[in-house]
Every structure is written in structure tokens, then in C-alpha cells.
Amino acid sequence: MKVFKTLALGAGLSGLLLSAAYAEGLQGKVIGFSQIGSESGWRAAETSVTKAVAAELGIDLKFADAQQKQENQIKAIRGFIAQGVDAILVAPVVATGWEEVLTEAKEASIPVVLLDRGIEGPEDLYLTSVASDQVKEGRVAGEWLVGAVADKQCNVVELQGTVGSSPAINRKQGFEEAIAGKANLVITRSQTGDFTRSKGKEVMEGFIKAEDGGKNICAVYAHNDDMAVGAIQAIKDAGLKPGTDILVISIDAVPDIFAAMVAGEANATVELTPNMAGPAFAALDAYLNAGTMPEKFIITESKLYTPADDPQGEYDRRKGLGY
Ligand code: AHR
């Protein structure tokens, strides 16, 4: 378990690995991984960590990049089934439309593990889901803003993640729950930036234009750090100070957001560990080798970071992890 430990401690992410008892190991097992794509720094890190952990465990990992398209993921999963893999990992780009292909995997007796995003559908179609509590992530972000602005009037613009994805749905819900009943906090604009830096910038430019050059915006809430980094650039281009004139709150805790905190340009982020593979492989090991059924939902931590939390140190701890 060398890689698990190095990644966890190196990133200051201790506590995210499960203390699952390992059975015989996954040496030589063939596991398919249908990844969404590389839309964000966080996604790149999840891919790197999964490959590194698989290599350490001697797993023959079949990796398929879906380039953000569900149809590519379905094709990849069907390919894994045809190859007769031992298990399948899938990070589902959107929440709906999985029943048919996951039923095919079930009929072929291939266990499926969902990574980092959830689906709408019967729970018996997957062995377990390793993900954060995404509603909580939104709530933590919203609660930070409630505390930061106190009674001040604050118009918030929201950069949503990919339409129809579980993090976009749930992070929106959690944030709205946190600000519910606070009459001074209002979401005035909300649009998807598709979890990418370039779209985050583009959409924020539109918000600034529509809101009197940004004067009517008190805060931007982005469903991930990459969109926040894009928004920071748009705020600077408009001649305003991100982090001061417009507060910046987001989710992921990637190195670039800590660099922005060091520069005084970001105010809060909620951590999402890129190490979903550690718990996933532990669950598969126990299941394939000892028949142990894992918990249906394996929930990772959602820790808030602000400029008070040694952003330079957090940057240094994360920068070598494939972001
Ligand atoms: O599903 C997790 C989300 O997907 C991350 O927060 C985001 O960066 C990625 O694109």
C-alpha cells in the first residue's frame, strides 16, 4: 500500500483512505476505467492517482477517456464487458441514462464502482460509489459566505458545473440550502461553465458586463476551482480585484486555487480528494477475493480551506500529484 500512503500524507489528505482490510490483493486483475475526460485540474489528478495506485497494486488498468461524452463512456463500458474484465470503474459524466449498460455489466457479473459522481437509477446496478457528499460541499461553501458577509447585501453569481452532472445538481442545492433565509444573499445570475477554466472565464465576462462592469457582484460561487480561476482572470481583466471587490468561493482544493489565495485573489475552497481509487480498489479487493460487500456509499471528506490555512503549504503539498 506504499502509493496509498505517499499520496495521502504528501497531500495532507490523511483520513481519506479507508482502513479496509486487504484480502489477497488485485495483482494481475484487469480493471476497466471509463474516465470523463480532462476538463479540470482535479480530473487530471484523479486520473494520475488512479493510474499510480493501479500500477502499485499490479492491476492491468484499461483506461478510456470519454472526452466529456456519455456515448463514449457507454461504448467503453461495453468494450470492457466484451473483454471480460474483472471490474469496471466509471466516473459518470451525467447522472441519468446508465440503466441499460450497467444492467449489461450486471448480467455479465462484472462489478461496477462509481467514482466521484453519482447516478440516478437502481442501486443494485453498482457495487459501491466512492464520492464526496456533494450537497455538503455546496453547503460548506455557502456557510462560509454567510459568515463572511454577515448582514451586508451580497449579490452572488454562480458558475455551475456540467449540466445534468451530479456535482452540478448537488453543489447548487447545498449552496442554496446554506443561504436560504438570508435575505441579504441573493443568487442573481447562474449559468454553466462546464467545469472548465475557459468557460468559467467566458461566462464570468458575461456576468460582469451584465452587472454594471461587475459593480453589482459581491461574490462568485464556482462549482469547481478551474472555473473560479477563469473567473478570477475575468475579474482582473475588468479592472477589479478578485478576492476583495468580488469574493471567490469554489470547490476542489487544486494547487492553482491555493496559488490564487497566496496572491489574495481567492477566498475559500472545499477539498475534494483526487484519491477515489484507493477506497475503490480496497472495496474491489475485499469483494473479489473474500466476497465482502462494501458500504453502498463510501463518502470522502469535504474540508474547507481559506487563506488562514497556509495556502502556500497546501500548494506545495499538492503540486506533485498530477494536477
Ligand atoms: O465530479 C467532480 C468534479 O468534476 C470536480 O469537482 C470537477 O473539477 C470535475 O470536473
Side-chain angles (χ1 to χ4, degrees):
M1 297 306 104
K2 198 157 65 79
V3 168
F4 291 167
K5 283 191 181 131
T6 309
L7 291 166
L9 299 175
L13 306 177
S14 52
L16 296 179
L17 300 179
L18 300 187
S19 54
Y22 280 80
E24 291 161 31
L26 295 171
Q27 180 81 35
K29 296 282 187 209
V30 182
I31 298 181
F33 177 23
S34 169
Q35 178 58 294
I36 291 170
S38 51
E39 73 280 3
S40 65
W42 183 88
R43 182 70 50 200
E46 187 194 45
T47 296
S48 305
V49 169
T50 305
K51 287 180 175 175
V53 177
E56 179 76 10
L57 295 176
I59 294 166
D60 180 3
L61 190 77
K62 308 282 179 202
F63 180 80
D65 177 337
Q67 306 197 331
Q68 258 75 26
K69 291 197 175 74
Q70 185 180 34
E71 69 210 61
N72 290 345
Q73 290 202 284
I74 291 174
K75 220 181 277 169
I77 293 168
R78 291 210 164 106
F80 296 147
I81 296 170
Q83 286 172 61
V85 298
D86 295 298
I88 294 172
L89 307 179
V90 53
V93 61
V94 290
T96 55
W98 298 99
E99 257 180 78
E100 200 179 323
V101 73
L102 294 191
T103 300
E104 291 168 28
K106 192 178 177 198
E107 283 169 359
S109 301
I110 298 174
V112 170
V113 177
L114 305 182
L115 286 194
D116 77 83
R117 293 189 184 182
I119 62 166
E120 286 168 27
E123 290 180 7
D124 65 347
L125 292 181
Y126 50 93
L127 179 71
T128 182
S129 159
V130 183
S132 55
D133 178 342
Q134 296 161 345
V135 175
K136 181 177 170 191
E137 289 169 335
R139 211 181 299 125
V140 169
E143 282 165 0
W144 179 85
L145 186 61
V146 167
V149 301
D151 292 335
K152 191 185 140 198
Q153 182 61 39
C154 183
N155 291 346
V156 183
V157 295
E158 179 182 31
L159 293 167
Q160 294 185 39
T162 300
V163 175
S165 68
S166 68
I169 296 164
N170 295 329
R171 289 171 183 173
K172 179 169 187 53
Q173 183 193 322
F175 187 85
E176 286 174 352
E177 281 173 13
I179 66 167
K182 306 280 169 197
N184 59 317
L185 272 163
V186 186
I187 299 176
T188 50
R189 293 186 185 267
S190 182
Q191 209 176 304
T192 182
D194 211 11
F195 282 128
T196 69
R197 205 171 280 212
S198 57
K199 261 298 198 59
K201 178 170 180 281
E202 187 188 313
V203 174
M204 190 66 191
E205 283 166 354
F207 287 163
I208 290 170
K209 220 177 260 170
E211 295 292 349
D212 196 12
K215 288 193 200 79
N216 294 335
I217 303 173
C218 148
V220 54
Y221 165 49
H223 290 189
N224 80 346
D225 288 345
D226 276 68
M227 293 189 293
V229 170
I232 286 170
Q233 192 54 51
I235 296 167
K236 290 205 277 195
D237 292 350
L240 297 171
K241 280 198 185 126
T244 308
D245 295 331
I246 297 180
L247 301 175
V248 179
I249 308 108
S250 52
I251 292 163
D252 275 355
V254 304
D256 284 355
I257 208 71
F258 288 110
M261 279 188 196
V262 170
E265 295 175 345
N267 305 87
T269 187
V270 183
E271 180 174 72
L272 176 66
T273 176
N275 185 14
M276 301 282 163
F281 288 143
L284 279 172
D285 184 11
Y287 176 73
L288 292 173
N289 292 312
T292 308
M293 285 302 283
E295 299 275 316
K296 198 81 221 178
F297 297 96
I298 298 172
I299 310 291
T300 63
E301 232 187 336
S302 303
K303 185 173 172 333
L304 177 75
Y305 286 87
T306 70
D309 298 306
D310 182 20
Q312 185 62 57
E314 292 305 329
Y315 175 87
D316 292 340
R317 271 187 278 285
R318 285 166 172 76
K319 69 177 189 303
L321 288 177
Y323 286 99

